[in-house]
């Protein structure tokens, strides 16, 4: 059979939907051009927020090499910074899924076009297209699984998603360079046609030229239409708005959290009372033994250039206490409302072990038995911020076991995993 046999997917006649065309694909592509660029930037920002070049315990992608060229010291202002950037990253990613699927559907004939390569430039374009499609599906799939706390993929999410993002975005940039001029011309031409400036009695998206000349997008034997292209775009946009409405509440909080039906931290705040707000890891999951956290057993070990001190919770309560209104914001895109935390400033604890003036970096160790981020590092600017606390209370009550009793870290704008719970040891010094 020949490649123009309508029974073969390599034939333009095999794909009969009248919706496919340069204009339809171009509109979807331009939406993705903006959306995926924002996703990539906010993803890199999220990685920087972990301060991976500060300490190996923060670095979940130790082989990143030159890909870490942009890393910078993560700030503490505004205090909702990570809540905003990661909420935007996750919510936008989920919202773009219908657009991505529609775009892939609109160009699927090109994946089967023969010959595979008509020239070197065409071969490079096909390779970039395969990397683009494969990378896009990989990134969106792993991202959705991570948001849903469903770690079924092999290996750690962090390096898989990080390296996949660079491969995907490189292919995306190459594809955009090749296709954006065409997309802009197609959209501009349709706009001019609607204004009556270029009416000549034929379709301007290439139907009069045949599917082959348009890269196989427009079928030469279309099926009967059931919806217009504009109606199809409205359908895709409506699906995206539905995902937005059922997701965004998890990063905004308040009454809107009840609308986050597709988010694992949607619905009402768990439990009741001052400790009734979201968590990822329970004390049981972390292997916390109440015999270790009791008043007689637990001591906080604080080490610095002036030596080491061991403090009971009562001794910590005897130090000057301060309050901060800060949220917990996690990589999965969810966050709490601002909670009122009360405890000892980290910079005061640094001064207690000989670091007067500007405090240094901090290495935090938890009682947690297993899992990532049992230990975490904080930069000097995070330690110095007066809102950064070793928290002992939340919302006027002792921390619950699941929220880190007897003491936890709370730092403005830091990812939730760096706000270590069940703190056992603090070591101040340059890392």
């Amino acid at each position: 059979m020949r490649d123009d046999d309508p029974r073969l997917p390599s034939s333009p006649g095999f794909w009969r939907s009248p919706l496919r065309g340069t204009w339809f694909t171009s509109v979807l592509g331009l939406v993705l051009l903006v959306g995926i660029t924002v996703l990539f930037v906010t993803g890199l920002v999220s990685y920087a927020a972990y301060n991976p070049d500060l300490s190996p315990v923060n670095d979940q992608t130790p082989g990143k090499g030159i890909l870490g060229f942009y890393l910078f010291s993560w700030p503490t202002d505004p205090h909702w910074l990570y809540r905003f950037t990661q909420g935007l990253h996750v919510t936008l990613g989920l919202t773009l899924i219908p657009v991505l699927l529609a775009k892939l559907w609109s160009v699927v004939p090109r994946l089967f076009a023969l010959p595979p390569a008509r020239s070197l430039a065409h071969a490079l374009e096909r390779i970039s297209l395969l990397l683009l499609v494969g990378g896009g599906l990989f990134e969106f799939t792993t991202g959705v699984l991570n948001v849903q706390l469903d770690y079924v993929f092999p290996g750690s999410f962090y390096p898989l998603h990080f390296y996949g993002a660079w491969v995907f975005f490189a292919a995306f940039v190459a594809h955009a360079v090749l296709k954006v001029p065409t997309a802009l011309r197609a959209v501009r031409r349709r706009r001019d046609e609607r204004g009556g400036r270029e009416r000549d009695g034929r379709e301007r998206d290439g139907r009069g030229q045949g599917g082959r000349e348009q890269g196989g997008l427009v079928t030469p034997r279309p099926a009967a239409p059931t919806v217009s292209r504009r109606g199809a775009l409205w359908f895709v946009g409506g699906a995206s708005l539905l995902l937005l409405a059922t997701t965004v509440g998890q990063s905004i909080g308040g009454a809107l959290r009840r609308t986050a039906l597709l988010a694992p931290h949607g619905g009402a705040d768990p439990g009741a009372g001052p400790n009734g707000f979201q968590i990822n890891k329970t004390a049981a999951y972390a292997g916390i033994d109440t015999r270790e956290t009791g008043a007689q057993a637990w001591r906080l070990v604080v080490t610095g250039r002036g030596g080491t001190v061991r403090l009971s919770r009562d001794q910590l309560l005897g130090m000057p206490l301060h309050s901060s209104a800060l949220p917990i914001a996690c990589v999965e895109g969810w966050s709490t409302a601002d909670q009122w935390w009360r405890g000892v400033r980290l910079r005061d604890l640094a001064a207690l072990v000989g670091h007067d003036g500007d405090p240094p970096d901090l290495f935090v160790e938890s009682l947690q038995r297993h899992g990532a981020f049992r230990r975490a590092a904080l930069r000097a600017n995070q330690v110095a911020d007066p809102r950064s606390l070793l928290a002992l209370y939340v919302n006027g009550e002792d921390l619950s076991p699941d929220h880190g009793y007897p003491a936890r870290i709370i730092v403005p704008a830091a990812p939730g995993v760096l706000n270590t719970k069940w703190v056992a040891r603090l070591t101040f010094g340059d890392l």
Side-chain angles (χ1 to χ4, degrees):
M1 290 186 290
R2 302 174 304 173
D3 66 353
D4 59 353
D5 189 319
R7 291 172 295 177
L8 292 176
S10 58
S11 168
F14 180 86
W15 309 96
R16 300 192 60 199
S17 173
L19 294 180
R20 290 190 179 92
T22 305
W23 177 78
F24 184 73
T25 298
S26 296
V27 172
L28 295 171
L30 291 173
V31 172
L32 289 174
L33 176 66
V34 176
I36 288 176
T37 300
V38 173
L39 283 182
F40 184 68
V41 171
T42 52
L44 294 185
V45 164
S46 177
Y47 185 59
Y50 281 69
N51 287 316
D53 58 342
L54 172 64
S55 171
V57 299
N58 287 16
D59 191 358
Q60 300 299 298
T61 56
K64 62 186 178 296
I66 62 173
L67 298 182
F69 70 92
Y70 70 94
L71 295 174
F72 55 94
S73 297
W74 189 248
T76 55
D77 281 309
H79 74 275
W80 42 261
L81 179 61
Y82 191 72
R83 180 184 184 184
F84 171 76
T85 59
Q86 193 60 14
L88 175 61
H89 180 78
V90 171
T91 302
L92 179 61
L94 292 173
T95 301
L96 286 177
I97 288 175
V99 184
L100 176 70
L101 294 178
K103 177 66 161 60
L104 293 178
W105 173 86
S106 75
V107 299
V108 70
R110 286 180 176 166
L111 299 179
F112 294 90
L114 294 176
R118 296 191 294 269
S119 65
L120 177 61
H122 184 243
L124 293 174
E125 179 184 346
R126 293 296 295 276
I127 292 172
S128 73
L129 186 61
L130 289 175
L131 290 174
L132 182 69
V133 173
L137 291 175
F138 178 83
E139 284 299 289
F140 276 80
T141 300
T142 55
V144 169
L145 289 173
N146 184 66
V147 168
Q148 295 298 325
L149 310 178
D150 193 2
Y151 306 110
V152 298
F153 35 78
S156 170
F157 166 76
Y158 296 95
L160 288 174
H161 204 66
F162 179 77
Y163 294 125
W166 280 103
V167 172
F168 169 55
F169 197 71
F172 179 76
V173 170
H175 188 75
V177 169
L178 292 171
K179 297 301 182 182
V180 165
T182 300
L184 291 174
R185 285 196 298 271
V187 172
R188 189 179 302 116
R189 184 165 58 234
R190 173 58 67 94
R191 183 189 61 198
D192 291 343
E193 287 177 355
R194 287 177 62 82
R197 289 189 288 271
E198 291 188 15
R199 300 180 187 274
D200 61 2
R202 62 188 177 91
E203 182 83 8
R204 288 294 184 144
D205 66 0
R207 182 167 299 178
Q209 301 175 39
R212 180 83 56 189
E213 289 74 12
Q214 291 298 310
L217 288 184
V218 180
T219 178
R221 46 192 296 266
T226 57
V227 66
S228 68
R229 288 175 180 157
R230 191 169 296 278
L233 287 178
W234 276 109
F235 177 79
V236 173
S240 289
L241 287 175
L242 179 62
L243 285 175
L244 172 66
T246 52
T247 302
V248 69
Q250 71 166 345
S251 59
I252 294 178
L256 285 178
R257 190 177 300 282
R258 297 177 183 274
T259 68
L261 303 178
L262 299 182
H265 288 278
D269 289 342
N275 278 273
F277 55 94
Q278 286 71 20
I279 58 169
N280 259 5
K281 289 185 293 191
T282 64
Y285 168 85
I288 304 303
D289 190 331
T290 55
R291 290 174 296 184
E292 296 178 286
T293 60
Q296 298 302 316
W298 183 82
R299 295 293 183 272
L300 175 70
V301 180
V302 185
T303 301
R305 66 186 175 195
T308 297
V309 297
R310 295 170 59 87
L311 301 169
S312 67
R313 198 168 189 275
D314 285 341
Q315 287 174 311
L316 288 168
L317 292 173
M319 297 179 65
L321 300 183
H322 301 270
S323 297
S324 299
L326 300 172
I328 298 290
C330 281
V331 69
E332 296 91 0
W334 67 269
S335 60
T336 71
D338 287 356
Q339 309 296 323
W340 277 99
W341 308 91
R342 187 162 178 81
V344 181
R345 285 176 175 169
L346 294 182
R347 67 184 190 185
D348 292 344
L349 290 168
L352 191 64
V353 289
H355 297 281
D356 296 313
D358 293 333
D361 304 329
L362 172 61
F363 187 67
V364 184
E365 298 174 78
S366 173
L367 292 173
Q368 182 179 334
R369 289 287 186 272
H370 54 81
F373 296 102
R374 301 185 302 275
R375 300 170 295 169
L378 298 174
R379 288 193 182 275
N381 69 299
Q382 294 173 310
V383 177
D385 193 294
R387 297 165 295 178
S388 296
L389 303 175
L390 179 73
L392 306 171
Y393 298 104
V394 63
N395 299 323
E397 187 175 275
D398 284 347
L399 296 167
S400 69
D402 286 343
H403 282 298
Y405 182 88
R408 70 169 296 163
I409 298 294
I410 186 71
V411 172
V417 290
L418 299 186
N419 292 311
T420 308
K421 297 192 285 189
W422 314 292
V423 175
R425 180 183 292 269
L426 302 176
T427 304
F428 292 93
D430 294 333
L431 298 177

